[in-house]
Amino acid sequence: MASNNRGHFSSRLGFIMAAAGSAVGLGNVWGFPTKAASNGGAAFLVIYLAMVFLLAFPMLVAELTIGRHGQSNPIASLRTIWTKNRAAAGLFGLIAMIAASMILSFYSILAGWLMGFAAAPALEVVGLQSAADWLVNFGGARNVVLAVLFSLLTILVVQKGVADGIEKWSTRLMPMLFVLFAVMIAYIFTQDGAMEGLKMYLIPDISHITPSLMVDAMGQAFFSLSLGVGSMMVYGSYLQKEVNIPKTAGQVAAIDTGVALAAGLLILPAMFVAKNNGVQIFNDAGQLMSSGDLVFAVLPAMFDTMGGIGVILGIGFFVLMVIAALTSSISLLEVPVSCAQDELKMERNTATWLIGGAILIVSIVISLNFGALFGLVADISTVYMQPLLGVVWAIVVGWIWNRNNLLNELKEGNPDIAQGLFWKIWPWYVRIVCPVAIMTVFLFSIL
């Protein structure tokens, strides 16, 4: 069972900020607007919201409940439920740990670029043009240096533990993120061209709704809520027993979705402001030109057209991106670290530096073989492992966990839950609808 010196979140707000921080990352601020822009804007937004409500939220409740029940890492937590096949429980817990580590290995590279783009305008202002160019131009050495810097930030937060590291920094960084967003959205709306982007984002064109859009939207909902890879199980294990899990999960999902919506409100209008300022964003066929590096190509070009205020906005925007990335990366590193602490009885410091260092070595290998490895590692971990692990968690909660034991775990934070609508729908929903829907979308994405 769990070790006695296990950390806990000191407050519900701390947990919500940390879990929302885990969920709010590049998936929302970089992935969501890019996918929305590539898939016709509002049509994608509508389907994404449906996917969050219909699939991601029920699965978030499932993962938090497994974690809080086990009060331990994903391997041990799964074993407390899957008692008849402890080997399978251990294996799937291990796969989740590997998936989280793989995501962190490519995530650190992306987040490093953001640090480069945040620092570059400041270097330009003080006349260090060649250093600024080095930070924003793709290159093996630059990729490695920035990935190392970002990885060290992540390691330093995680080694401090739950209350002093993860909770403390999430409760500082998340409000900063919200304020920066609000300021930047307000500014962008004053620029010429912004309303055209707003229209694209908020007025749906039903003809854009295709099966591939549905796949993209579900993938985005899963990736942005950190589902499947054990992060939410680990955070669940640090929850006090009196917390109402469905209510708290709803708040985390709402903050996460709100940030994705805000990112869309910022980036889609910003694209059209850029277009208005002479930056080419669509090709002759009317398709978005650089969807993958939208944030790295279109936005800096737009900030450049704005003079002095553009420098400040550029720094602000990329600082915001780094904050979003850091609150996610700490939850990804926490998965293998909590496993090493509980299963191998390692000290937190040792575990954090050893595992963080090992993941950093993988990041360096990917950086130096970028063309061959980056897309491959990203696809294996997010397109294949995340949804398939999601199916396993749905099966564990829906089919393997004794229904009364599951109800008792949820009653800890909500004694009257059995009388409510949630309990009448959720158990069979997770049992049947979630695995079937996730598998359908998954098979479509590979076929």
Side-chain angles (χ1 to χ4, degrees), residues 26 29-30 110-122 135-136 142 150 153 176-177 180-181 184 266-267 293-304 310-326:
L26 300 187
V29 186
W30 170 64
L110 269 179
W113 294 353
L114 298 168
M115 290 174 77
F117 274 88
L135 282 176
V136 297
R142 166 261 199 175
F150 183 79
L153 267 183
M176 273 172 68
L177 183 86
L180 273 171
F181 254 131
M184 296 193 68
L266 173 64
I267 289 172
D293 56 357
L294 177 77
V295 164
F296 300 109
V298 171
L299 291 172
M302 179 191 73
F303 295 134
D304 284 347
V311 175
I312 297 164
L313 281 175
I315 295 171
F317 175 75
F318 284 105
V319 165
L320 181 142
M321 298 282 278
V322 172
I323 291 172
L326 185 62

Side-chain angles (χ1 to χ4, degrees), residues 126-175:
V126 296
L128 297 171
Q129 188 62 46
S130 57
D133 291 343
W134 185 80
L135 282 176
V136 297
N137 289 323
F138 190 88
R142 166 261 199 175
N143 291 350
V144 169
V145 168
L146 292 174
V148 168
L149 284 175
F150 183 79
S151 300
L152 288 175
L153 267 183
T154 305
I155 289 168
L156 289 169
V157 173
V158 172
Q159 71 158 15
K160 292 269 188 208
V162 182
D164 281 342
I166 298 170
E167 180 176 357
K168 190 168 165 185
W169 281 99
S170 299
T171 37
R172 286 174 182 174
L173 294 171
M174 291 303 288

Side-chain angles (χ1 to χ4, degrees), residues 209-396:
I209 297 178
T210 58
S212 71
L213 181 143
M214 313 274 279
V215 172
D216 266 358
M218 188 197 86
Q220 183 58 37
F222 253 62
F223 183 63
S224 80
L225 269 172
S226 308
L227 293 174
V229 294
S231 306
M232 289 303 176
M233 272 185 216
V234 174
Y235 277 13
S237 75
Y238 299 135
L239 267 182
Q240 311 280 1
K241 286 288 187 184
E242 60 272 11
V243 170
N244 178 336
I245 290 182
K247 182 179 171 188
T248 307
Q251 288 162 331
V252 171
I255 293 175
D256 175 63
T257 308
V259 171
L261 294 177
L265 279 177
L266 173 64
I267 289 172
L268 273 78
M271 280 166 47
F272 284 87
V273 172
K275 184 179 157 200
N276 197 57
N277 290 350
V279 180
Q280 195 182 355
I281 58 170
F282 294 107
N283 62 17
D284 298 336
Q287 289 160 322
L288 196 66
M289 275 171 54
S290 54
S291 62
D293 56 357
L294 177 77
V295 164
F296 300 109
V298 171
L299 291 172
M302 179 191 73
F303 295 134
D304 284 347
T305 61
M306 294 182 164
I309 187 83
V311 175
I312 297 164
L313 281 175
I315 295 171
F317 175 75
F318 284 105
V319 165
L320 181 142
M321 298 282 278
V322 172
I323 291 172
L326 185 62
T327 52
S328 285
S329 66
I330 55 184
S331 78
L332 289 166
L333 181 55
E334 185 61 26
V335 178
V337 167
S338 73
C339 288
Q341 272 189 285
D342 295 340
E343 301 298 311
L344 306 174
K345 302 290 175 257
M346 271 183 161
E347 286 291 317
R348 177 174 275 272
N349 258 359
T350 317
T352 310
W353 282 100
L354 265 180
I355 294 166
I359 294 171
L360 173 57
I361 291 167
V362 178
S363 297
I364 292 171
V365 173
I366 296 171
S367 295
L368 298 175
N369 303 276
F370 191 87
L373 292 179
F374 186 87
L376 180 70
V377 173
D379 279 352
I380 290 172
S381 53
T382 62
V383 177
Y384 297 97
M385 292 171 91
Q386 260 190 303
L388 290 177
L389 285 165
V391 172
V392 175
W393 310 153
I395 290 167
V396 168

Side-chain angles (χ1 to χ4, degrees), residues 1 62-71 74-86 89 233 393 395-403 405-406 409:
M1 272 306 283
E63 282 200 38
L64 290 173
T65 310
I66 293 172
R68 192 182 67 179
H69 175 74
Q71 289 285 299
I75 296 173
S77 291
L78 286 163
R79 281 187 187 143
T80 62
I81 295 164
W82 207 338
T83 47
K84 290 195 173 69
N85 195 341
R86 289 169 62 82
M233 272 185 216
W393 310 153
I395 290 167
V396 168
V397 170
W399 296 90
I400 293 168
W401 202 344
N402 173 292
R403 188 61 61 90
N405 294 350
L406 172 58
E409 181 57 47

